[in-house]
Amino acid sequence: MKIGNIEIKGKFIQGPMAGVSNQAFRMISKKHGAALVCSEMVSVEGMAHNNEKTFSMLNVGEQEHPMSMQIFGNDVESFSKAAQWMDKNVDCDIIDLNIGCPAPKVAIRSESGSALLKTPDLIHDIVKAVVENTSKPVTAKIRLGWDKDSVNAVEVAKLIEKAGASAITVHGRTRNDFYTGHADWEKIKEVKDAVKIPVIGNGDVVDAESGKKMLDETGCDAVMISRGCQGNPWIFEQCNYFFETGQELDKPSFKEWKETVLEHAKMLIDLKTEEWAMREFRKHLTWYFDVLVKTKSTNSLKEQANKIESLEDVISLINQYEREEKNGQS
């Protein structure tokens, strides 16, 4: 699959997640087989107002490519200026537009993300403005609509294509669904059938089998995995292997699991101070524990993971799990 002039060598993509898919997370995903990695969403208004935190989110590592930088907002002029600035100053390969975030602070307070689905013509103008102000391929990530009574994904997708976008990602839920119920893959197929640009399916892919199933049922060009890769970057390797061979790949050994957890933690510390990195890593460590075989000690370890303050705390919890597992097996 090609997105504009960028070749994507694989079918499984790591999705953008606010507060999650920073550079460390993306590097781990890439190392474990993600064909494309995507940033957490970055505010175009933050760029316009020279917000230091916003600019810190725009760093891209050499080993991340190809990578997509996602931006959000609701003002055409701000998107235009952000695209111009990113074209010269951000080493991403693709610019992705967030037209799907359901979070109240984005969709309600900022009238961005999935709120834009209420105004398809504005979506067209935003996409067109970004396309005209960058040499990078432009993509958009949408939901099916604002709610069940206003599903307009096909209409929106056609406008996004008309505006010059190089690909579109469709999450098979409405804004009001948030992450409940089941993603409607049939609607993703309808979008795929309606446009000529690549379509990436998103929603309810949790393992290799469901990843292959989405490809088969929707005909989409690639699959985006978001929540399914939290604490489980091995899902990309597993999906790749199942797609190529039809066989299940074994789960990571404890040694592989431990190495990945510590690598992720150390990369996060390098990006931030240890104090801030460990605050952020708390949720990641609980997700990583979910990948392990569930035992009585796992829930206790997850509770302790929410209190870590140092890399030593991470190592201590891993060692504690290993000791308890050995004692349980003896």
Side-chain angles (χ1 to χ4, degrees):
M1 178 179 72
K2 291 191 82 171
I3 296 178
N5 61 339
I6 305 299
E7 186 175 0
I8 310 300
K9 298 178 180 178
K11 294 285 188 182
F12 301 97
I13 293 168
Q14 172 249 299
M17 291 168 279
V20 175
S21 54
N22 58 27
Q23 191 175 342
F25 186 92
R26 300 193 303 265
M27 293 281 282
I28 290 292
S29 297
K30 176 68 73 172
K31 183 172 181 179
H32 287 279
L36 174 70
V37 294
C38 305
S39 75
E40 55 188 320
M41 59 183 177
V42 182
S43 167
V44 296
E45 297 300 337
M47 280 185 251
H49 293 93
N50 296 314
N51 182 279
E52 187 176 336
K53 182 181 178 183
T54 298
F55 286 127
S56 71
M57 297 166 71
L58 296 168
N59 293 326
V60 178
E62 288 183 13
Q63 296 173 309
E64 289 189 59
H65 301 289
M67 77 82 60
S68 173
M69 189 69 70
Q70 189 183 76
I71 57 178
F72 79 100
N74 64 5
D75 178 71
V76 175
E77 185 63 24
S78 295
F79 269 106
S80 298
K81 290 179 179 177
Q84 289 174 10
W85 190 87
M86 291 175 70
D87 200 59
K88 297 174 183 175
N89 298 286
V90 181
D91 190 28
C92 62
D93 301 286
I94 296 163
I95 295 177
D96 184 59
L97 310 182
N98 184 313
I99 307 174
C101 180
K105 67 179 180 181
V106 174
I108 305 293
R109 275 177 265 167
S110 298
E111 297 183 339
S112 304
S114 56
L116 295 173
L117 294 167
K118 297 177 180 180
T119 52
D121 289 341
L122 177 58
I123 292 173
H124 172 273
D125 293 346
I126 287 171
V127 175
K128 189 169 186 288
V130 175
V131 169
E132 290 175 349
N133 284 282
T134 181
S135 59
K136 302 175 189 290
V138 176
T139 61
K141 185 173 188 285
I142 68 169
R143 284 191 168 225
L144 299 182
W146 180 258
D147 56 29
K148 297 291 187 190
D149 296 323
S150 57
V151 171
N152 59 352
V154 169
E155 173 195 354
V156 168
K158 287 180 177 178
L159 287 170
I160 288 170
E161 180 180 45
K162 182 181 177 183
S166 297
I168 183 168
T169 300
V170 185
H171 184 135
R173 289 180 172 87
T174 67
R175 185 270 167 178
N176 280 5
D177 288 333
F178 282 87
Y179 299 98
T180 61
H182 297 289
D184 189 341
W185 291 2
E186 182 59 35
K187 289 291 191 296
I188 298 174
K189 184 179 187 302
E190 288 177 14
V191 173
K192 172 59 186 172
D193 292 343
V195 298
K196 293 184 174 65
I197 57 175
V199 172
I200 301 161
N202 179 228
D204 291 354
V205 173
V206 295
D207 54 25
E209 188 176 350
S210 54
K212 177 69 162 54
K213 190 177 180 184
M214 177 181 270
L215 287 169
D216 292 341
E217 291 189 5
T218 68
C220 61
D221 299 275
V223 169
M224 180 174 282
I225 304 172
S226 299
R227 288 177 296 156
C229 71
Q230 290 175 345
N232 185 23
W234 302 278
I235 193 172
F236 298 109
E237 295 168 327
Q238 292 160 357
C239 285
N240 291 336
Y241 189 77
F242 190 79
F243 178 75
E244 291 164 6
T245 69
Q247 303 294 315
E248 298 275 358
L249 192 64
D250 289 339
K251 287 188 174 184
S253 66
F254 177 75
K255 181 175 180 290
E256 292 169 329
W257 177 89
K258 179 178 179 179
E259 287 174 352
T260 298
V261 173
L262 292 178
E263 182 181 17
H264 190 168
K266 288 172 183 175
M267 282 198 290
L268 204 51
I269 289 170
D270 288 341
L271 286 174
K272 311 184 177 194
T273 64
E274 184 169 16
E275 177 186 1
W276 286 104
M278 289 302 98
R279 287 184 186 182
E280 183 172 316
F281 198 65
R282 290 169 184 171
K283 61 191 174 191
H284 292 280
L285 188 53
T286 63
W287 293 331
Y288 276 119
F289 275 128
D290 279 334
V291 173
L292 296 172
V293 176
K294 301 294 188 296
T295 64
K296 289 182 180 179
S297 67
T298 309
N299 285 338
S300 171
L301 290 167
K302 286 170 66 176
E303 287 178 14
Q304 294 177 68
N306 281 313
K307 301 172 185 175
I308 58 169
E309 295 182 353
S310 67
L311 182 61
E312 283 302 313
D313 290 342
V314 177
I315 294 169
S316 177
L317 286 182
I318 292 173
N319 291 340
Q320 181 182 336
Y321 173 84
E322 191 170 16
R323 285 195 306 272
E324 291 176 358
E325 279 297 286
K326 286 179 180 178
N327 290 337
Q329 293 171 3
S330 59

